[in-house]
Amino acid sequence: MERGRFITLEGGDGVGKSTQARRLVARLRAAGHECLATREPGGAPFAERLRTLLLEHGQEAATPLAEALVFNAARADHLAAAILPALERGVWVISDRFADSTRAYQGAAGGIDDAVLRRLEEIVVGPHRPDLTIILDLDPELAEARWRQRAREAADERGGALALDRFEREGRKFQARLRAEFLKIAAEDPGRCRVVDAGRSEDEVAEEVWRLVSEVLAP
Ligand code: TMP
C-alpha cells in the first residue's frame, strides 16, 4: 500500500485558506484519491477540545509560551490519532494549518524565540513534516477587507452581531509580521513550501494550487 501524501495550507487570517483547502480536497477526490480534510488546531477528538480552549477562551490571559505548548499538544494528538494512521492507509491528508502557524503566530507575532519553537517542532512533528506546504500570500489590507465581508455575511445569516474582530484585536502590524514570517519559512524550506499569490480570484488561486499539487506530488 502506497503511503498517502500530506499537504498543508498556511497563511495569515482572511487569505482564503479554508476555501482553497475545501476546493483542493474536492478535486483530489474527483481524481480518485481518498482524502482526510482536517485542520489545526483540532482534527482529532482531544485536539478539538484543545481548540475550543485555545480559540474560545474568555478574558483570561495566556502567556505566548503556554499557548505554544497547547498548540503543540493539540498537534501531537492530531498527528498520532488522525494524520499518521490516515497516511499509512494510503489516504491523502489535507490540513488547514499545521506547524508553520505556530512559528508565525506564536513566534514572529507572539514573541517566542524561534529556537524554542524549533525544538518543540522537532519533538512533536519530527520526521512527519508535510510533503507540500502551500502558503497563501496576501496583503493584510486585502485580507482584512475579505475577512470583514465574510464576517458580515456570517452575522447576517445568523441574524446576530459581528464575531469578535481579530483584525481589530490584534492589529495590522500583527498581520504584517505573520506575512513576513510565512514568506521567511517558505524561503528557508523551498523543497517543501510553495508561495501562492492569493490576491487573484478564487478560481485562479485554486488552479495554481492544483498545478502545484499535481507537479510536486506527481508519482
Ligand atoms: P482559523 O480556523 O481561522 O485558521 O483559526 C485558527 C486560529 O488559531 C488562527 O487565528 C491562527 C491560530 N493558530 C495559532 O495561533 N497557532 C497555531 O499553531 C495554529 C495551528 C493556529
Side-chain angles (χ1 to χ4, degrees):
M1 156 78 64
E2 198 195 342
R3 187 179 169 276
R5 306 301 174 97
F6 182 20
I7 303 173
T8 58
L9 282 103
E10 297 276 12
D13 298 297
V15 299
K17 248 174 338 72
S18 308
T19 306
Q20 292 299 331
R22 253 195 320 274
R23 291 184 63 149
L24 174 59
V25 167
R27 200 147 173 190
L28 282 167
R29 284 187 176 140
H33 297 289
E34 196 184 333
C35 291
L36 171 68
T38 189
R39 66 172 180 184
E40 287 213 348
F46 181 63
E48 286 289 332
R49 293 190 61 166
L50 295 177
R51 178 185 176 94
T52 307
L53 194 72
L54 285 161
L55 302 186
E56 290 170 22
H57 65 74
Q59 295 307 310
E60 74 276 9
T63 65
L65 178 60
E67 268 190 357
L69 291 167
V70 182
F71 277 112
N72 270 290
R75 183 159 306 128
D77 185 61
H78 185 205
L79 266 168
I83 296 174
L84 297 180
L87 292 174
E88 272 155 31
R89 290 199 319 274
V91 172
W92 287 46
V93 176
I94 315 303
S95 188
D96 180 348
R97 297 196 184 282
F98 191 64
D100 299 320
S101 281
T102 306
R103 295 269 299 282
Y105 281 81
Q106 280 65 51
I112 304 251
D113 186 7
D114 197 48
V116 171
L117 294 176
R118 280 175 198 254
R119 269 161 69 197
L120 287 172
E121 193 175 317
E122 198 49 55
I123 294 165
V124 171
V125 179
H128 307 301
R129 295 206 160 71
D131 297 298
L132 172 66
T133 294
I134 292 174
I135 292 175
L136 295 179
D137 180 56
L138 185 61
D139 181 320
E141 268 187 46
L142 257 174
E144 177 173 352
R146 285 189 186 177
W147 192 89
R148 283 182 191 281
Q149 173 67 27
R150 272 206 306 278
R152 256 194 305 277
E153 284 163 10
D156 287 347
E157 270 169 32
R158 285 196 315 268
L162 271 181
L164 180 59
D165 192 327
R166 217 178 274 155
F167 286 91
E168 242 157 46
R169 207 173 56 211
E170 284 156 349
R172 282 188 196 153
K173 269 201 193 134
F174 179 88
Q175 295 295 331
R177 277 201 293 271
L178 286 178
R179 183 186 198 194
E181 182 64 15
F182 279 121
L183 292 176
K184 184 167 150 234
I185 290 170
E188 280 172 4
D189 199 348
R192 169 175 68 90
C193 301
R194 297 288 181 277
V195 178
V196 169
D197 171 8
R200 295 166 295 167
S201 74
E202 190 187 307
D203 283 349
E204 284 170 312
V205 176
E207 229 14 78
E208 170 87 358
V209 168
W210 182 250
R211 191 182 63 73
L212 290 172
V213 168
S214 324
E215 263 182 21
V216 176
L217 297 180

